[in-house]
Amino acid sequence: MLRLIVRRLLQLIPTLLGLSVLLFLWLNRLPGGPAAAMLGERATAEQKARIEAALGLDQPVWVQYGRFLRRLTELDLGTSSQTGQPVWDEFVRRFPATVELGVSAMVIAVLLGIPLGYFAARRRGSWLDVTAVSGSLIGICIPVFFLAFILKAIFAVNLGWFPSFGRQTTGINATEVTGFYVLDGILTGELDASGDALMHLVLPALALSSIPLAIITRMTRASVLEVLSEDYVRTAESKGLQQRVVRGRHVMRNALLPVITAIGLLTGGLLSGAVLTESVFAFGGVGSFIRTAIDARDYPVLVGFIMFIALAYVLINLLVDLAYSVIDPRVRVH
């Protein structure tokens, strides 16, 4: 297992290096150069020259790239032009909100999608199968931001069952420990604050989980159908093994491999897809910060966000590989 982890971590290095090259080229190919992008269209030539000298943009490209790479390794992502604060500090402050939302959405998608896909496959052609397939198709087709607006209008504005914005009700004097509000309330014993944060999470998490839920349901259904037709499953059933053993040891264990791959890819996508959902519910995470950064052309923030998403993708895929090795030990051999 340790050898597998080390091998996967070493494989991450060229991936991150390649991404750093692409980011560096993107910054240097901005219209008018990075200095013009930072100063705006009305900047004078003297102002651009002063910024280029201050940032070292008048030096050879390889020197600029070496400095860019060193700053990334030191987690120095620059300073946000919106807030004047280091980008890393801004991410650390907003990161828990986005992770809390993304994890909640994925938990909903996994807890509903895998059982629904399994039972749809086991009862192929039934009303449950038709409902699951039709519902997943609708879930994939509806844009997340549109579903977020619908949920907000019905359950928050009209019915008043859930809060319509924010992470916690204004005025709650909750103790912040980790930045994850639900967890903080449990750790400090302030269950009312934890419950309030959970109520604020319901609608954004439901909206964000719609596409992963649909994909996981369809993939689980297709994978279970494929495994059910395998000879070893029919052999196990003909030997008189209990259905619980056949389902757990022969069907789900083999059917989950492609589903886990999809979950890993979708989890990374949730973090980048949270931009629109957080904007609709004013959730205060990295996503809403990125939206304002795009409007303000805050390039240090955008570079940091891209690196952050890339790192999240590779780490999640590392976890997927480890999950593979637990479910199927043959993966460790190869």
Side-chain angles (χ1 to χ4, degrees):
M1 179 69 80
L2 181 61
R3 182 181 297 178
L4 175 68
I5 295 174
V6 172
R7 191 164 66 237
R8 291 291 187 267
L9 287 175
L10 290 177
Q11 290 174 350
L12 301 182
I13 295 176
T15 304
L16 294 177
L17 276 176
L19 181 64
S20 70
V21 171
L22 291 176
L23 276 175
F24 176 76
L25 293 175
W26 172 61
L27 284 175
N28 279 270
R29 297 298 296 174
L30 290 172
M38 294 174 63
L39 295 172
E41 298 176 353
R42 298 183 179 180
T44 63
E46 290 77 13
Q47 289 174 321
K48 291 180 183 177
R50 193 161 53 247
I51 288 292
E52 288 177 350
L55 298 178
L57 300 176
D58 53 350
Q59 296 183 7
V61 173
W62 56 87
V63 176
Q64 295 180 42
Y65 176 70
R67 185 184 297 110
F68 175 75
L69 197 59
R70 190 189 70 237
R71 287 174 53 197
L72 287 181
T73 57
E74 295 173 350
L75 300 179
D76 178 10
L77 302 175
T79 303
S80 169
S81 61
Q82 303 174 83
T83 64
Q85 299 295 318
V87 173
W88 178 253
D89 292 347
E90 292 286 355
F91 277 138
V92 169
R93 186 161 60 86
R94 300 168 190 271
F95 180 70
T98 301
V99 172
E100 195 172 50
L101 175 59
V103 170
S104 302
M106 186 49 71
V107 167
I108 293 173
V110 170
L111 291 183
L112 293 179
I114 291 180
L116 189 58
Y118 172 78
F119 286 112
R122 296 287 296 188
R123 293 168 174 75
R124 186 177 186 183
S126 67
W127 66 269
L128 177 62
D129 185 26
V130 174
T131 304
V133 172
S134 305
S136 60
L137 185 61
I138 294 173
I140 293 174
C141 293
I142 297 179
V144 173
F145 74 93
F146 182 61
L147 180 60
F149 275 118
I150 292 176
L151 292 175
K152 182 177 179 179
I154 295 176
F155 296 104
V157 177
N158 291 330
L159 298 177
W161 291 355
F162 299 99
S164 61
F165 66 90
R167 295 184 64 196
Q168 213 161 41
T169 302
T170 305
I172 285 187
N173 188 23
T175 305
E176 186 172 334
V177 180
T178 63
F180 301 95
Y181 287 178
V182 177
L183 178 62
D184 287 351
I186 296 173
L187 292 177
T188 59
E190 299 169 347
L191 298 183
D192 55 336
S194 182
D196 184 75
L198 197 59
M199 292 295 286
H200 282 76
L201 262 176
V202 172
L203 293 183
L206 279 176
L208 193 59
S209 69
S210 59
I211 293 179
L213 172 59
I215 294 175
I216 290 173
T217 301
R218 293 180 75 90
M219 286 206 66
T220 303
R221 177 183 178 276
S223 185
V224 170
L225 282 176
E226 183 178 351
V227 172
L228 286 174
S229 64
E230 295 290 342
D231 292 338
Y232 58 83
V233 174
R234 286 196 293 270
T235 302
E237 291 176 339
S238 64
K239 287 167 62 179
L241 291 178
Q242 294 180 348
Q243 279 298 313
R244 178 175 56 82
V245 176
V246 176
R247 286 196 302 266
R249 187 178 299 172
H250 297 288
V251 177
M252 288 307 294
R253 192 165 187 172
N254 291 286
L256 278 180
L257 288 175
V259 179
I260 289 176
T261 303
I263 291 174
L265 296 174
L266 290 169
T267 303
L270 279 181
L271 298 178
S272 55
V275 174
L276 294 175
T277 307
E278 289 184 1
S279 300
V280 173
F281 292 97
F283 202 70
V286 172
S288 54
F289 185 51
I290 294 303
R291 186 185 62 79
T292 56
I294 293 172
D295 294 338
R297 298 201 300 182
D298 194 345
Y299 291 105
V301 171
L302 297 180
V303 170
F305 178 68
I306 294 171
M307 288 301 298
F308 166 76
I309 292 298
L311 188 61
Y313 262 107
V314 294
L315 290 178
I316 290 170
N317 276 282
L318 172 63
L319 295 177
V320 168
D321 289 341
L322 296 180
Y324 269 174
S325 65
V326 172
I327 295 176
D328 188 355
R330 292 173 298 178
V331 175
R332 300 179 206 170
V333 178
H334 299 290

